[in-house]
Amino acid sequence: AQSVTQLGSHVSVSEGALVLLRCNYSSSVPPYLFWYVQYPNQGLQLLLKYTTGATLVKGINGFEAEFKKSETSFHLTKPSAHMSDAAEYFCAYKPGGYNKLIFGAGTRLAVHP
Amino acid sequence: DTEVTQTPKHLVMGMTNKKSLKCEQHMGHRAMYWYKQKAKKPPELMFVYSYEKLSINESVPSRFSPECPNSSLLNLHLHALQPEDSALYLCASSQSLAGDAYEQYFGPGTRLTVT
């Protein structure tokens, strides 16, 4: 079955520290991969996406993610956390031949002073 | 303009009411989606429209009835809902269902409470 696993439902970091949110997908065919962020009582905002080409993808707000086919991973990083980064983050992928996104369970990022 | 708008922002309805949620986009996208999101959960796909035709129905109960009157508008008609249908309803759109164009843009959602 198609699935996305986000390791850690809650991640807490200090302001200025590295942010690392983990995402692994199950697919034998390279998929399209996405990271979304959701602030409280809002919709989802696309942070970045991987379709083809360069495996290191840069997104908005200083986030980036690296597609590693051998590890079936697409981890999200940001060198220095800001208080405004506190939100829910969802990894999602579109398997080949499926016209829908498969979402991970989400990771809540807390940033403390 | 990468905006998807949804109205109303909040809706409270009784179990015997009929109401509608509205979604609009002016990005020229030809695929539109309805999702349901419960608290602390990821969005769950309900319906997908492609070129104004229903493409996917994720076995959603008939008390939810989608409609796509034109390429910019998507409605979700609600009738005889249950309290467990209370959730955030999200609309999204993408250029199409084709792989590279599958980036979905989400609206802010409608917070629905069924009493």
Side-chain angles (χ1 to χ4, degrees):
Chain A
Q2 311 286 357
S3 67
V4 176
T5 302
Q6 290 185 239
L7 287 174
S9 58
H10 290 81
V11 170
S12 181
V13 300
S14 300
E15 192 173 19
L18 171 71
V19 175
L20 171 61
L21 304 182
R22 299 177 188 273
C23 172
N24 289 87
Y25 64 92
S26 66
S27 176
S28 58
V29 176
Y32 297 105
L33 294 156
F34 307 86
W35 274 100
Y36 284 90
V37 62
Q38 186 175 31
Y39 298 99
N41 298 312
Q42 293 189 27
L44 278 67
Q45 181 182 12
L46 182 67
L47 280 176
L48 48 79
K49 66 177 181 179
Y50 170 80
T51 53
T52 57
T55 56
L56 183 62
V57 180
K58 294 189 184 300
I60 62 171
N61 301 340
F63 285 94
E64 62 182 36
E66 186 172 10
F67 170 61
K68 292 188 175 180
K69 182 179 176 182
S70 60
E71 298 177 9
T72 60
S73 69
F74 191 57
H75 301 331
L76 181 71
T77 61
K78 181 174 179 177
S80 177
H82 192 272
M83 298 295 287
S84 61
D85 294 325
E88 188 83 23
Y89 290 79
F90 292 101
C91 179
Y93 86 111
K94 178 185 180 301
Y98 284 80
N99 286 329
K100 61 181 184 179
L101 284 178
I102 310 294
F103 281 92
T107 296
R108 180 162 297 274
L109 176 66
V111 182
H112 51 86
Chain B
D1 181 11
T2 56
E3 189 178 26
V4 176
T5 59
Q6 290 187 243
T7 53
K9 293 179 79 76
H10 300 275
L11 178 62
V12 179
M13 60 185 291
M15 290 190 284
T16 58
N17 291 160
K18 285 185 181 181
K19 297 286 185 184
S20 296
L21 309 184
K22 180 181 172 182
C23 172
E24 194 164 5
Q25 56 87 16
H26 294 288
M27 295 178 278
H29 288 177
R30 303 312 300 267
M32 296 185 77
Y33 312 77
W34 279 117
Y35 288 87
K36 173 183 177 180
Q37 187 179 27
K38 301 285 269 185
K40 303 186 190 305
K41 297 289 187 184
E44 299 172 34
L45 183 66
M46 300 175 72
F47 303 103
V48 179
Y49 273 83
S50 177
Y51 289 85
E52 296 139 62
K53 294 193 186 313
L54 184 64
S55 175
I56 296 176
N57 177 342
E58 290 284 281
S59 303
V60 178
S62 60
R63 58 185 183 269
F64 295 91
S65 175
E67 178 197 20
C68 189
N70 60 57
S71 60
S72 300
L73 275 176
L74 186 66
N75 298 320
L76 185 63
H77 303 298
L78 314 172
H79 173 56
L81 295 191
Q82 304 297 310
E84 59 264 29
D85 296 322
S86 298
L88 181 67
Y89 287 83
L90 295 165
C91 174
S93 71
S94 65
Q95 283 186 357
S96 73
L97 297 182
D100 278 1
Y102 201 76
E103 178 178 328
Q104 291 188 24
Y105 293 87
F106 283 79
T110 293
R111 175 73 60 188
L112 174 67
T113 303
V114 182
T115 60

